[in-house]
Structures are given as C-alpha cells and as structure tokens.
Amino acid sequence: MTPPSTTPATAIHQPTGAGKPWWRKPVGTDPDRINLAFLLDAFREAKDSDKRDSSCVKFAHKNELAAALLLEAQVPGAGFVFRSERAFLDRAAAYLVARQGVSTIVVAGAGLPNIDYEHDLHSVVRRAEATNRNREQNTTRPNVIYVDHDPLVLAHLRTLADEANGVHVVDADPWDPHAMWNTLYHNDKETPGLVSPDHDHVALLLGGVMSFHGGSRAEAAQVVQDHLVRLPANAFLAMTHLLQPEHPDLAVQALEFEAAVQRRGPGTGSLATEAQIEAMIRGTVLLPPGIGPAFAWFPDGPPTDTPVCGNFTAAVLTQKPGPDRDLPEPPWRPAPP
C-alpha cells in the first residue's frame, strides 16, 4: 500500500547526551547496542513457535533480527509477549476513542510503524471512530501523537506524520515526563502546544516502555507517577509491563525469559510483580479487569489458544481521578486545607 500523503511533523529536539546513564541515551546508529524498537519490530516475523501470522520485517537490522531469533529459539513464543503488548494498545486506544470520548492519544515510546500502514495505532483509531460514530457523538477527529527520542525511530515515524489529519510525531524522552509534557503543552511558548490540558480528554499509552527502564522498579514507578502528575484530570493511562507471575512454575519460566531478554536484548529489561505495577499507578482508578496478561484484556470477547509466555506481560487501563472531594486524595495532589 502506498503510504498516506504527509506533511512535515513539528520536530522539537531535546538534549540527549551528557549526564544520562547509557541506557537512557538513544541507540541511533551505534552498532554495539541493540535498538529496542528495532528488536521489537524483528519479533513481527518470529512466529514459528506460536503459529500466528505477523507482518514481515521491514525495518529490523541484522543485529536485532539475530537477537530476536535467538531469543525466540531460547524462549518459545517470546515474540508473542511483545506482539500481545502492541495488540493491547491497539484495542485500548480503539476502546478509549469509541467508548470514553478520548480526543488526544499520546503514544510514548512509540517504536516503529507497521509495514503496511493499515495496522498502525492511528489507523485502528480511525476505524474505531468511523464504526462507532453516530449523530449524538462528537465528530471531532482525535489526535494521535507519537513520541520517541531515538533519531532512527523518529525518521521512520515521520513517514506517518499527517498533521492535517491529526497524526503528529514529537521528539521527546518518555523517561523524562516533565520535559516530555512541557514539549506537548508548550507551556513556555506563545503558540499553543499539541495538547491542551484544559480542553483535551487525554490518554497516555506506555507500551512496554517502563519494562526497559534501567533503574530500580521504584525509580521506574516514580517515572509513571511523574507522568500522572502532568496528565490532566480524568485522563487515562494504558500501560504494559513485563510481569513476574505469582504461579511458582510460571515465575521460574518468567525469570528465564527475563535473563534471556537482558542477555540477547538491549541489556535492560525487568519483570515487575503485580504489587510493583500497583505502585506505578497508585492514586488512580483501575478499570476492569484490573492488572492481568495483555492478551486477556479483550473487551469484545475472550482470547483463545495463547502460549504460556503470554503470562509474562501485564496490561492495565486506569484513570486519573478528577477534582471530586469524595474521592481519596491521590499522592500528587495536596490535601484540601
């Protein structure tokens, strides 16, 4: 399929070098590091163990493709772990637009686009809005904002940018929430930003981003809390994270998967327990079905025939409460005098 006609995205560049730990620095063209976005893209064809169709690799480099195949050989079905995360984000975005009236979706750590341009998240959103629109619903087209800070990933994402149709690409670091939201809000600029905290109904998607934060799980939780600080009231957060299952047999297999990811992947990658994920989203209202495997979050029907490793990644959809005095005070809002 021919890519959609595009207009140049507004690229806002931020410093990416000094003072950051190695895992925070964009990989770019560094041949000695595995680029996470390209590794995840490589898993689109790693389908031998779970027999599922997936798009062939378009962007993956040799290093990332080799790493994906080795990981798939060591952990059968490993590709499903990451594909289920992306599929959850698509379903959550469609649900939020169709059922919750979300007007702006921010995809932080967006990764690479799909090969055929029909299965990217903004295309899923467009189909959801067309299917569910009626005379009583708002016909305003939701904005989809892809955020990443790797220069090679941004180059690919910009092929999708179509500002006239509400598809934007922004250069910002999802692991630096305050800088990212300053960029999106343009608080210090005379011109308005892409997001209006006073008027937009916002959803933030953190798909697998926090799993590869190289700090402690407590530090990763603080990053999510900092995102929640900056989100407007009533905004949604859809997040996935590699999961440490509670079942003893699954827990052992999950730890083997974690070790394989760290050895074959970008050098980081950590499981989180359900309690650690709860710490990331504390102060929010957790939507059903709660914290569970990404493949199981399926509002339109039950999943079937999923590999065991599907339990190694969790998905969660939650909402930041509004200024309702009857609700418990979230940790980022001071208690009323």
Side-chain angles (χ1 to χ4, degrees):
M1 178 179 174
T2 303
S5 58
T6 62
T7 57
T10 303
I12 303 166
H13 297 280
Q14 298 179 4
T16 58
K20 291 185 177 180
W22 66 267
W23 52 267
R24 284 275 310 268
K25 298 174 184 177
V27 175
T29 58
D30 186 344
D32 297 323
R33 292 177 60 193
I34 294 292
N35 188 310
L36 177 60
F38 284 78
L39 176 66
L40 299 186
D41 181 75
F43 277 118
R44 291 178 184 166
E45 82 166 7
K47 58 184 178 180
D48 291 341
S49 63
D50 59 22
K51 310 301 181 185
R52 282 170 171 74
D53 292 332
S54 57
S55 300
C56 62
V57 171
K58 181 179 181 183
F59 304 116
H61 298 157
K62 289 182 180 179
N63 285 352
E64 285 80 15
L65 179 56
L69 294 175
L70 285 170
L71 182 57
E72 181 75 13
Q74 185 172 354
V75 183
F80 180 81
V81 175
F82 302 107
R83 291 199 296 276
S84 69
E85 288 186 310
R86 193 152 189 166
F88 159 75
L89 296 177
D90 289 345
R91 295 195 299 273
Y95 165 78
L96 290 169
V97 168
R99 311 280 181 85
Q100 297 290 347
V102 164
S103 62
T104 298
I105 295 178
V106 178
V107 189
L112 292 166
N114 274 284
I115 189 170
D116 58 6
Y117 297 97
E118 287 189 348
H119 293 91
D120 285 301
L121 187 138
H122 64 276
S123 298
V124 173
V125 165
R126 296 292 176 252
R127 289 194 291 273
E129 78 182 20
T131 300
N132 293 280
R133 182 180 293 135
N134 59 42
R135 293 178 182 175
E136 288 72 38
Q137 288 177 319
N138 187 350
T139 58
T140 301
R141 172 151 283 187
N143 285 328
V144 176
I145 304 170
Y146 294 112
V147 178
D148 211 292
H149 72 134
D150 185 280
L152 291 184
V153 174
L154 287 167
H156 287 291
L157 286 174
R158 289 187 182 111
T159 66
L160 303 178
D162 187 359
E163 294 183 355
N165 285 308
V167 181
H168 308 268
V169 176
V170 171
D171 180 354
D173 183 356
W175 287 332
D176 188 348
H178 292 290
M180 185 187 106
W181 288 102
N182 283 345
T183 298
L184 294 174
Y185 291 149
H186 275 206
N187 288 338
D188 56 347
K189 306 291 184 181
E190 294 182 1
T191 56
L194 292 174
V195 181
S196 170
D198 296 325
H199 300 99
D200 291 336
H201 194 191
V202 178
L204 170 64
L205 275 54
L206 287 173
V209 176
M210 301 317 304
S211 301
F212 294 90
H213 187 283
S216 67
R217 291 303 87 195
E219 291 169 332
Q222 187 58 53
V223 171
V224 179
Q225 287 288 299
D226 288 345
H227 275 294
L228 290 167
V229 168
R230 301 304 306 275
L231 281 172
N234 299 311
F236 291 93
L237 167 66
M239 184 178 74
T240 62
H241 200 292
L242 296 180
L243 177 66
Q244 175 72 60
E246 293 184 0
H247 191 283
D249 293 340
L250 289 177
V252 171
Q253 295 179 58
L255 289 172
E256 293 173 351
F257 171 73
E258 178 187 57
V261 169
Q262 292 176 354
R263 184 166 56 254
R264 304 294 184 189
T268 60
S270 298
L271 305 174
T273 64
E274 186 170 322
Q276 289 170 330
I277 294 174
E278 288 174 347
M280 294 179 181
I281 60 172
R282 64 191 173 96
T284 64
V285 179
L286 185 61
L287 276 65
I291 300 171
F295 71 81
W297 196 95
F298 204 95
D300 297 322
T304 58
D305 189 27
T306 55
V308 171
C309 65
N311 294 283
F312 300 166
T313 186
V316 59
L317 180 63
T318 190
Q319 187 174 24
K320 180 175 177 175
D324 187 337
R325 294 296 182 183
D326 294 331
L327 290 175
E329 293 297 327
W332 54 80
R333 191 171 66 211

mmCIF file of all heavy atoms in Angstrom, residues 138-158:
data_model
loop_
_atom_site.group_PDB
_atom_site.id
_atom_site.type_symbol
_atom_site.label_atom_id
_atom_site.label_comp_id
_atom_site.label_asym_id
_atom_site.label_seq_id
_atom_site.Cartn_x
_atom_site.Cartn_y
_atom_site.Cartn_z
ATOM 1 N N ASN A 138 -19.638 13.234 19.346
ATOM 2 C CA ASN A 138 -18.763 14.282 18.843
ATOM 3 C C ASN A 138 -18.025 13.767 17.609
ATOM 4 O O ASN A 138 -17.445 12.684 17.617
ATOM 5 C CB ASN A 138 -17.760 14.666 19.939
ATOM 6 C CG ASN A 138 -16.930 15.864 19.557
ATOM 7 O OD1 ASN A 138 -16.957 16.315 18.422
ATOM 8 N ND2 ASN A 138 -16.197 16.379 20.518
ATOM 9 N N THR A 139 -18.047 14.533 16.533
ATOM 10 C CA THR A 139 -17.397 14.096 15.295
ATOM 11 C C THR A 139 -15.986 14.648 15.157
ATOM 12 O O THR A 139 -15.374 14.521 14.110
ATOM 13 C CB THR A 139 -18.229 14.527 14.074
ATOM 14 O OG1 THR A 139 -18.380 15.954 14.092
ATOM 15 C CG2 THR A 139 -19.603 13.862 14.084
ATOM 16 N N THR A 140 -15.466 15.291 16.202
ATOM 17 C CA THR A 140 -14.096 15.785 16.153
ATOM 18 C C THR A 140 -13.127 14.617 16.035
ATOM 19 O O THR A 140 -13.240 13.628 16.752
ATOM 20 C CB THR A 140 -13.769 16.600 17.421
ATOM 21 O OG1 THR A 140 -14.682 17.691 17.513
ATOM 22 C CG2 THR A 140 -12.349 17.124 17.367
ATOM 23 N N ARG A 141 -12.170 14.729 15.130
ATOM 24 C CA ARG A 141 -11.199 13.653 14.912
ATOM 25 C C ARG A 141 -10.153 13.664 16.013
ATOM 26 O O ARG A 141 -9.486 14.673 16.241
ATOM 27 C CB ARG A 141 -10.553 13.846 13.547
ATOM 28 C CG ARG A 141 -9.392 12.925 13.268
ATOM 29 C CD ARG A 141 -9.256 12.641 11.805
ATOM 30 N NE ARG A 141 -10.271 11.678 11.395
ATOM 31 C CZ ARG A 141 -10.319 11.115 10.178
ATOM 32 N NH1 ARG A 141 -9.421 11.441 9.275
ATOM 33 N NH2 ARG A 141 -11.252 10.245 9.881
ATOM 34 N N PRO A 142 -9.983 12.552 16.724
ATOM 35 C CA PRO A 142 -8.960 12.515 17.782
ATOM 36 C C PRO A 142 -7.556 12.662 17.208
ATOM 37 O O PRO A 142 -7.255 12.173 16.113
ATOM 38 C CB PRO A 142 -9.150 11.130 18.402
ATOM 39 C CG PRO A 142 -10.510 10.681 17.984
ATOM 40 C CD PRO A 142 -10.758 11.306 16.658
ATOM 41 N N ASN A 143 -6.699 13.350 17.950
ATOM 42 C CA ASN A 143 -5.287 13.440 17.596
ATOM 43 C C ASN A 143 -4.549 12.218 18.116
ATOM 44 O O ASN A 143 -4.828 11.726 19.219
ATOM 45 C CB ASN A 143 -4.656 14.691 18.212
ATOM 46 C CG ASN A 143 -5.052 15.955 17.478
ATOM 47 O OD1 ASN A 143 -5.265 15.950 16.272
ATOM 48 N ND2 ASN A 143 -5.154 17.045 18.212
ATOM 49 N N VAL A 144 -3.597 11.731 17.342
ATOM 50 C CA VAL A 144 -2.683 10.681 17.777
ATOM 51 C C VAL A 144 -1.273 11.260 17.693
ATOM 52 O O VAL A 144 -0.843 11.714 16.626
ATOM 53 C CB VAL A 144 -2.797 9.419 16.907
ATOM 54 C CG1 VAL A 144 -1.762 8.388 17.343
ATOM 55 C CG2 VAL A 144 -4.200 8.824 17.009
ATOM 56 N N ILE A 145 -0.577 11.274 18.835
ATOM 57 C CA ILE A 145 0.753 11.881 18.915
ATOM 58 C C ILE A 145 1.761 10.797 19.261
ATOM 59 O O ILE A 145 1.727 10.217 20.352
ATOM 60 C CB ILE A 145 0.791 12.993 19.989
ATOM 61 C CG1 ILE A 145 -0.300 14.043 19.712
ATOM 62 C CG2 ILE A 145 2.167 13.655 20.029
ATOM 63 C CD1 ILE A 145 -0.486 15.040 20.833
ATOM 64 N N TYR A 146 2.641 10.492 18.317
ATOM 65 C CA TYR A 146 3.699 9.514 18.540
ATOM 66 C C TYR A 146 4.911 10.234 19.128
ATOM 67 O O TYR A 146 5.391 11.217 18.565
ATOM 68 C CB TYR A 146 4.092 8.833 17.233
ATOM 69 C CG TYR A 146 3.007 7.969 16.622
ATOM 70 C CD1 TYR A 146 2.383 8.329 15.431
ATOM 71 C CD2 TYR A 146 2.617 6.784 17.233
ATOM 72 C CE1 TYR A 146 1.398 7.533 14.862
ATOM 73 C CE2 TYR A 146 1.637 5.978 16.679
ATOM 74 C CZ TYR A 146 1.030 6.360 15.493
ATOM 75 O OH TYR A 146 0.054 5.566 14.940
ATOM 76 N N VAL A 147 5.418 9.720 20.255
ATOM 77 C CA VAL A 147 6.556 10.329 20.939
ATOM 78 C C VAL A 147 7.687 9.305 21.019
ATOM 79 O O VAL A 147 7.479 8.171 21.460
ATOM 80 C CB VAL A 147 6.173 10.790 22.359
ATOM 81 C CG1 VAL A 147 7.389 11.380 23.076
ATOM 82 C CG2 VAL A 147 5.037 11.805 22.308
ATOM 83 N N ASP A 148 8.868 9.709 20.593
ATOM 84 C CA ASP A 148 10.060 8.866 20.745
ATOM 85 C C ASP A 148 11.265 9.788 20.741
ATOM 86 O O ASP A 148 11.134 10.982 20.434
ATOM 87 C CB ASP A 148 10.157 7.832 19.613
ATOM 88 C CG ASP A 148 10.834 6.543 20.098
ATOM 89 O OD1 ASP A 148 12.052 6.601 20.392
ATOM 90 O OD2 ASP A 148 10.159 5.503 20.185
ATOM 91 N N HIS A 149 12.437 9.259 21.110
ATOM 92 C CA HIS A 149 13.615 10.115 21.106
ATOM 93 C C HIS A 149 14.820 9.470 20.448
ATOM 94 O O HIS A 149 15.921 10.002 20.511
ATOM 95 C CB HIS A 149 13.962 10.577 22.537
ATOM 96 C CG HIS A 149 14.540 9.496 23.409
ATOM 97 N ND1 HIS A 149 15.659 9.695 24.191
ATOM 98 C CD2 HIS A 149 14.154 8.227 23.624
ATOM 99 C CE1 HIS A 149 15.928 8.581 24.864
ATOM 100 N NE2 HIS A 149 15.035 7.682 24.533
ATOM 101 N N ASP A 150 14.628 8.324 19.791
ATOM 102 C CA ASP A 150 15.700 7.723 19.017
ATOM 103 C C ASP A 150 15.650 8.299 17.596
ATOM 104 O O ASP A 150 14.599 8.265 16.949
ATOM 105 C CB ASP A 150 15.544 6.204 18.979
ATOM 106 C CG ASP A 150 16.717 5.536 18.278
ATOM 107 O OD1 ASP A 150 16.728 5.517 17.028
ATOM 108 O OD2 ASP A 150 17.624 5.065 18.969
ATOM 109 N N PRO A 151 16.758 8.824 17.097
ATOM 110 C CA PRO A 151 16.708 9.506 15.796
ATOM 111 C C PRO A 151 16.305 8.601 14.643
ATOM 112 O O PRO A 151 15.593 9.043 13.731
ATOM 113 C CB PRO A 151 18.143 10.036 15.616
ATOM 114 C CG PRO A 151 18.991 9.258 16.577
ATOM 115 C CD PRO A 151 18.099 8.906 17.718
ATOM 116 N N LEU A 152 16.715 7.324 14.658
ATOM 117 C CA LEU A 152 16.328 6.426 13.575
ATOM 118 C C LEU A 152 14.838 6.093 13.644
ATOM 119 O O LEU A 152 14.158 6.020 12.619
ATOM 120 C CB LEU A 152 17.161 5.141 13.629
ATOM 121 C CG LEU A 152 18.638 5.272 13.283
ATOM 122 C CD1 LEU A 152 19.303 3.903 13.290
ATOM 123 C CD2 LEU A 152 18.828 5.928 11.921
ATOM 124 N N VAL A 153 14.338 5.885 14.841
ATOM 125 C CA VAL A 153 12.916 5.607 15.008
ATOM 126 C C VAL A 153 12.096 6.814 14.564
ATOM 127 O O VAL A 153 11.087 6.678 13.867
ATOM 128 C CB VAL A 153 12.613 5.240 16.470
ATOM 129 C CG1 VAL A 153 11.113 5.091 16.687
ATOM 130 C CG2 VAL A 153 13.326 3.951 16.850
ATOM 131 N N LEU A 154 12.535 8.009 14.953
ATOM 132 C CA LEU A 154 11.819 9.223 14.551
ATOM 133 C C LEU A 154 11.774 9.370 13.034
ATOM 134 O O LEU A 154 10.762 9.803 12.472
ATOM 135 C CB LEU A 154 12.474 10.452 15.179
ATOM 136 C CG LEU A 154 12.244 10.633 16.677
ATOM 137 C CD1 LEU A 154 13.198 11.688 17.232
ATOM 138 C CD2 LEU A 154 10.793 11.042 16.961
ATOM 139 N N ALA A 155 12.856 9.005 12.364
ATOM 140 C CA ALA A 155 12.878 9.108 10.905
ATOM 141 C C ALA A 155 11.787 8.242 10.288
ATOM 142 O O ALA A 155 11.109 8.658 9.329
ATOM 143 C CB ALA A 155 14.251 8.709 10.377
ATOM 144 N N HIS A 156 11.584 7.042 10.828
ATOM 145 C CA HIS A 156 10.524 6.177 10.316
ATOM 146 C C HIS A 156 9.145 6.703 10.704
ATOM 147 O O HIS A 156 8.206 6.683 9.898
ATOM 148 C CB HIS A 156 10.709 4.755 10.843
ATOM 149 C CG HIS A 156 11.857 4.015 10.221
ATOM 150 N ND1 HIS A 156 11.871 3.609 8.906
ATOM 151 C CD2 HIS A 156 13.046 3.615 10.739
ATOM 152 C CE1 HIS A 156 12.999 2.974 8.634
ATOM 153 N NE2 HIS A 156 13.734 2.973 9.733
ATOM 154 N N LEU A 157 8.999 7.155 11.938
ATOM 155 C CA LEU A 157 7.704 7.657 12.386
ATOM 156 C C LEU A 157 7.256 8.859 11.568
ATOM 157 O O LEU A 157 6.055 9.043 11.315
ATOM 158 C CB LEU A 157 7.766 8.029 13.868
ATOM 159 C CG LEU A 157 7.796 6.871 14.868
ATOM 160 C CD1 LEU A 157 8.015 7.402 16.276
ATOM 161 C CD2 LEU A 157 6.499 6.068 14.800
ATOM 162 N N ARG A 158 8.206 9.678 11.146
ATOM 163 C CA ARG A 158 7.823 10.880 10.400
ATOM 164 C C ARG A 158 7.208 10.552 9.047
ATOM 165 O O ARG A 158 6.569 11.404 8.441
ATOM 166 C CB ARG A 158 9.032 11.806 10.254
ATOM 167 C CG ARG A 158 9.433 12.466 11.578
ATOM 168 C CD ARG A 158 10.529 13.516 11.400
ATOM 169 N NE ARG A 158 10.892 14.076 12.692
ATOM 170 C CZ ARG A 158 12.053 13.886 13.309
ATOM 171 N NH1 ARG A 158 12.996 13.141 12.720
ATOM 172 N NH2 ARG A 158 12.298 14.426 14.476
#
